[in-house]
Amino acid sequence: MKTWQKWLVSCTLVVAVLGGAAYGIHARYQPLLFVVGNEAMRQAEWTDLRPELLAGIPYTRSDDLQTLERRSMEELILSAAKKNGVTYDEKILNQQLSQFGSTPDERAQKLAEMNTTEAKVRVNYERSLTAFALKTMMTADVKVSEDEINTYYEQNKGLFLAPEFRSVYYLRGKVSDTELVNTLSGATATTFPDLVKSYNDEAKNRTGTWHELDGLDHLTSHTSQRVAEVAFQAPLNKVVGPFQDNDWNYWYMISEIKEPHQFTLMEERDKIQSSLLQEKQLAKYRAWLETQKEIIGYHYFPENLDREPLRAFWHDLPQNFKIWF
């Protein structure tokens, strides 16, 4: 066999081997979706797990991606907890399980009705309680000062202002409804509530109702901005109308007024302290988790949900070497 023929045969064999390998990779390789340390979630595993996490309900692409990222972060948290020697409280876990029954048989029956098992529920509780224990430990030193509480209150006083609320009887009819106009011409604060009930007739385009302690915005949604603003300027226990707005006549009577109230710092202090504490704890915890990504080895590949296996194989090669070797 001549030299050029030997080279041709060799090249043909190499191409055949590589082609066969590529076909095998394309047929069998499962792309990585995320890696935490030496643990990995691959596409096939995610396909099996996803329906359980999403409770078997229809989901969108956005739901898929959000759930995948949340699962990857849960695995990072569990890995960080293990690294720091953090575990869940067995007593709390048993208390949670006891809600489904006091004996294994009772729990099995109850959980079967919920289409799950005690083993699955236990694993979920273990994960959530471990995550809670880790967050508690890593944010134990977070405090909120009185100055922070005072500053937040002064800068956000509007959040602690209860607006004016009014109880309103109102009746609406077409401008052309002369019968209604004539009937209500002699209405008084005593007779108006009964007239509102009597003339509530959709078939005749009449709407009569009573709203208890509504705000301006809520009344606007049932009438109009103009009508609501006039009603919130009306005196107490006086029938006002007809007030025309577009093709409608309105009559209304204010039966109760609750004046605006500015809640004091002392009234709101505990709520503000709790809210600020949660915000600071969450910020610190998230920042700490970001540092753990590099320390533990966290990698997230949502794009592999759509990659062809062969392309994903070459993309994943560095991570797979770390996992396999």
Side-chain angles (χ1 to χ4, degrees), residues 163-168 213-233:
E164 179 180 322
F165 290 97
R166 292 190 168 204
S167 294
V168 184
L213 294 178
D214 273 352
L216 178 64
D217 290 343
H218 190 267
L219 186 60
T220 298
S221 68
H222 287 274
T223 56
S224 72
Q225 181 72 33
R226 185 163 171 247
V227 171
E229 287 176 352
V230 172
F232 265 72
Q233 296 171 8

Side-chain angles (χ1 to χ4, degrees), residues 173-192:
K174 285 290 186 179
V175 172
S176 58
D177 192 341
T178 55
E179 177 190 346
L180 190 60
V181 173
N182 293 334
T183 301
L184 292 177
S185 61
T188 66
T190 303
T191 63
F192 190 65

Side-chain angles (χ1 to χ4, degrees), residues 77 80-81 84 86 130-138 285 288-289:
I77 289 169
N84 287 275
V86 177
T130 300
F132 179 77
L134 179 66
K135 181 181 178 183
T136 300
M137 185 185 80
M138 300 310 303
Y285 187 51
W288 180 78
L289 282 177

Side-chain angles (χ1 to χ4, degrees), residues 40-302:
M41 174 68 71
R42 296 184 182 275
Q43 203 173 78
E45 296 173 87
W46 181 243
T47 300
D48 292 338
L49 180 62
R50 180 174 50 197
E52 181 179 328
L53 296 180
L54 292 168
I57 61 176
Y59 53 85
T60 65
R61 176 67 169 178
S62 177
D63 296 329
D64 195 6
L65 289 170
Q66 289 177 13
T67 307
L68 176 64
E69 184 174 17
R70 184 165 58 247
R71 184 70 176 193
S72 72
M73 290 302 297
E74 287 175 4
E75 294 299 333
L76 175 66
I77 289 169
L78 293 175
S79 182
K82 184 177 180 180
K83 179 176 177 290
N84 287 275
V86 177
T87 58
Y88 60 88
D89 188 329
E90 187 74 29
K91 291 182 180 179
I92 297 178
L93 187 145
N94 289 331
Q95 289 173 1
Q96 297 289 337
L97 289 175
S98 68
Q99 298 177 15
F100 301 102
S102 57
T103 67
D105 288 342
E106 288 179 357
R107 292 194 294 272
Q109 181 177 348
K110 178 66 175 179
L111 292 169
E113 294 172 2
M114 299 169 64
N115 197 32
T116 188
T117 65
E118 183 169 336
K120 289 182 179 180
V121 172
R122 175 177 284 274
V123 168
N124 289 336
Y125 276 137
E126 288 174 351
R127 293 172 67 91
S128 61
L129 290 173
T130 300
F132 179 77
L134 179 66
K135 181 181 178 183
T136 300
M137 185 185 80
M138 300 310 303
T139 60
D141 62 339
V142 176
K143 307 295 180 185
V144 176
S145 69
E146 290 301 319
D147 284 344
E148 288 176 308
I149 295 173
N150 294 341
T151 299
Y152 185 86
Y153 176 79
E154 291 298 329
Q155 292 179 348
N156 298 278
K157 271 191 173 180
L159 297 177
F160 309 109
L161 173 65
E164 179 180 322
F165 290 97
R166 292 190 168 204
S167 294
V168 184
Y169 286 96
Y170 79 84
L171 186 59
R172 184 186 75 169
K174 285 290 186 179
V175 172
S176 58
D177 192 341
T178 55
E179 177 190 346
L180 190 60
V181 173
N182 293 334
T183 301
L184 292 177
S185 61
T188 66
T190 303
T191 63
F192 190 65
D194 288 332
L195 290 171
V196 167
K197 294 178 183 178
S198 300
Y199 285 89
N200 181 28
D201 187 349
E202 291 185 9
K204 293 185 178 181
N205 288 317
R206 295 166 176 172
T207 302
T209 188
W210 176 65
H211 288 271
E212 183 178 14
L213 294 178
D214 273 352
L216 178 64
D217 290 343
H218 190 267
L219 186 60
T220 298
S221 68
H222 287 274
T223 56
S224 72
Q225 181 72 33
R226 185 163 171 247
V227 171
E229 287 176 352
V230 172
F232 265 72
Q233 296 171 8
L236 191 64
N237 293 320
K238 181 179 179 180
V239 179
V240 178
F243 177 78
Q244 186 174 339
D245 186 51
N246 294 321
D247 295 330
W248 300 95
N249 275 329
Y250 288 87
W251 293 260
Y252 47 85
M253 184 184 76
I254 308 303
S255 61
E256 181 183 3
I257 298 176
K258 187 174 182 179
E259 299 292 340
H261 174 68
Q262 178 68 60
F263 290 93
T264 66
L265 173 61
M266 292 306 297
E267 288 176 303
E268 297 297 322
R269 182 197 173 283
D270 289 346
K271 292 180 184 176
I272 295 172
Q273 192 270 344
S274 177
S275 178
L276 291 179
L277 181 61
Q278 290 180 29
E279 287 181 8
K280 292 181 70 174
Q281 287 176 331
L282 184 58
K284 179 176 180 180
Y285 187 51
R286 284 177 171 171
W288 180 78
L289 282 177
E290 283 299 313
T291 67
Q292 298 306 296
K293 287 182 177 180
E294 183 174 355
I295 294 171
I296 292 173
Y298 170 89
H299 304 276
Y300 178 54
F301 308 116

Side-chain angles (χ1 to χ4, degrees), residues 14-26:
V14 169
V15 170
V17 170
L18 292 176
Y23 177 80
I25 291 171
H26 184 80

